Amino acid sequence: MNTDSSHSWYILGAGAIGGLWAHTMQVWGLDITVLARDEGQHNLLQSQGLQLSQDKITHTSHPKSLFPGIGHATIHNLLVCTKTYATLSAIEPWRKLLNPKANIILLQNGMGTAQSLQTVWPQFNIYCATTSDGAWRKAPWQVIQAGTGSTQMGAFSTHLSPQKMPTQIERLITASQQQENTLTLHWHKDIHTPMWHKLAVNGVINALTAIYQITNGELIQHPKARPRLEQLCRETEDVMSRCHITPIPHGLLNHALRVLQQTADNKSSMLQDCLAGRPSEIDAINGFIIQQGSILHLPCAAHRQVCDELRQHYPTS
Ligand code: PAF
């Protein structure tokens, strides 16, 4: 393991994706530290370890962790897996430890956070990642990997060259390629395209599954939700085309239906958040699409309707 601190990674966000990555990066032999929210979260991780279940086999790893107020490390590389709405407040306690030229990768659903981060702290090198890996959190530091996909990463900050993969990200990608049965990672020269494609899928699926409290598979034939899915697809493709985003091959509806079939038994992340009384990511998903639409004078009525209904059903969302 290389102990030069410029090679070390810090992971923020104790959810399913944060846990999956913390475990996997340790297996890759990288020096990683989990940034816990508080002392309780840190103590629990140190006592029970991080459990990841893959194909009914549970692996336990023991990553290092810090909580705000302890630790004098310099953070050169930060992977952020928090919910979008919590990003700035989650980074704030670690702000003083961040190297002024730190690499920050945002691995989250939704869009808008990278723009906010860049506005507040323009000096950081911001990268975005979008994944089709499926995971859910059974309990604190216990993660179930529900499906394997791939992760695309690319440069977001305007001062970065989208062509040039930084050394630290190249090391991650090399590590992922050298091992079998692990996370699959790719560098993407135009990260906005896969991010929009993922946003579009989340935008047409997640809110409907939460409003009707249905699994992904149930949405396919649902008499009320299915026509709304189709309307959301049309509106989203309109916004994407007016924003000059490369269209999804074979159309958004076909793509969404394929995702729904492949994840038929899953509860979407938004349904899980709403049922647990947590805030949802609706603002960074449907809210972002509405915001882009309104710049282009597109009403996005179906997106507005699902936002209103979700808030009526789940006041905490
Ligand atoms: O957010 C999610 O839950 C997933 O990305 C998906 C596949 C769109 C719905 O389960």
Side-chain angles (χ1 to χ4, degrees):
M1 187 187 294
N2 197 323
T3 50
D4 174 352
S5 73
S6 68
H7 293 288
S8 303
W9 280 91
Y10 290 78
I11 301 169
L12 189 58
I17 293 292
L20 175 64
W21 276 73
H23 176 86
T24 306
M25 287 166 84
Q26 279 207 104
V27 171
W28 290 345
L30 302 176
D31 179 39
I32 67 132
T33 304
V34 171
L35 300 177
R37 190 180 47 232
D38 52 32
E39 193 172 358
Q41 213 182 44
H42 160 85
N43 288 343
L44 187 65
L45 177 60
Q46 291 312 312
S47 59
Q48 75 169 39
L50 170 61
Q51 289 170 12
L52 176 71
S53 301
Q54 293 166 311
D55 297 328
K56 300 202 171 109
I57 300 171
T58 300
H59 309 269
T60 304
S61 56
H62 295 276
K64 291 179 281 184
S65 59
L66 295 175
F67 60 91
I70 63 154
H72 303 282
T74 301
I75 300 175
H76 293 273
N77 303 293
L78 178 67
L79 175 66
V80 179
C81 307
T82 58
K83 295 282 184 186
T84 37
Y85 53 80
T87 310
L88 295 187
S89 59
I91 295 178
E92 188 51 49
W94 306 101
R95 172 74 194 88
K96 290 207 176 84
L97 300 188
L98 278 165
N99 179 280
K101 291 268 161 226
N103 298 316
I104 302 182
I105 303 178
L106 299 177
L107 174 54
Q108 306 171 307
N109 274 342
M111 277 168 79
T113 319
Q115 284 91 335
S116 312
L117 205 61
Q118 186 174 248
T119 309
V120 185
W121 296 309
Q123 74 280 18
F124 293 136
N125 299 322
I126 302 170
Y127 300 88
C128 286
T130 177
T131 189
S132 53
D133 286 318
W136 55 280
R137 197 179 77 137
K138 190 174 157 204
W141 307 121
Q142 291 181 31
V143 177
I144 312 290
Q145 186 167 11
T148 49
S150 65
T151 302
Q152 312 278 341
M153 282 186 183
F156 180 86
S157 295
T158 41
H159 62 261
L160 296 170
S161 154
Q163 315 289 330
K164 198 173 165 290
M165 200 187 326
T167 316
Q168 300 310 335
I169 294 186
E170 199 173 353
R171 288 180 73 232
L172 294 183
I173 294 180
T174 307
S176 83
Q177 286 165 347
Q178 281 169 349
Q179 308 210 10
E180 280 178 21
N181 302 324
T182 186
L183 299 177
T184 307
L185 264 183
H186 301 283
W187 178 256
H188 204 292
K189 290 183 183 148
D190 170 24
I191 194 63
H192 295 275
T193 302
M195 282 178 72
W196 258 102
H197 290 186
K198 176 79 192 286
L199 178 85
V201 171
N202 287 139
V204 301
I205 293 177
N206 292 18
L208 289 176
T209 58
I211 290 167
Y212 293 103
Q213 299 198 352
I214 48 179
T215 60
N216 289 354
E218 286 166 337
L219 174 53
I220 299 172
Q221 304 285 358
H222 194 281
K224 288 192 177 139
R226 171 66 188 253
R228 297 182 74 179
L229 169 75
E230 294 181 14
Q231 180 61 21
L232 286 169
C233 286
R234 284 191 288 273
E235 283 186 4
T236 308
E237 284 186 315
D238 261 5
V239 176
M240 285 172 66
S241 106
R242 298 279 298 275
C243 289
H244 308 290
I245 306 299
T246 311
I248 295 177
H250 311 294
L252 175 55
L253 178 61
N254 280 324
H255 181 52
L257 289 172
R258 204 168 52 244
V259 170
L260 290 169
Q261 271 149 10
Q262 284 162 352
T263 60
D265 297 332
N266 292 9
K267 286 189 178 126
S268 78
S269 50
M270 196 171 287
L271 175 56
Q272 290 180 51
D273 286 339
C274 289
L275 292 176
R278 293 188 290 260
S280 77
E281 297 187 289
I282 191 102
D283 288 337
I285 299 176
N286 304 77
F288 185 85
I289 296 169
I290 293 169
Q291 187 199 30
Q292 297 301 306
S294 66
I295 296 169
L296 302 158
H297 308 289
L298 295 170
C300 296
H303 280 286
R304 287 180 195 273
Q305 182 69 28
V306 291
C307 289
D308 291 348
E309 273 179 53
L310 193 86
R311 293 199 179 97
Q312 278 161 21
H313 279 66
Y314 306 99
T316 54
S317 65

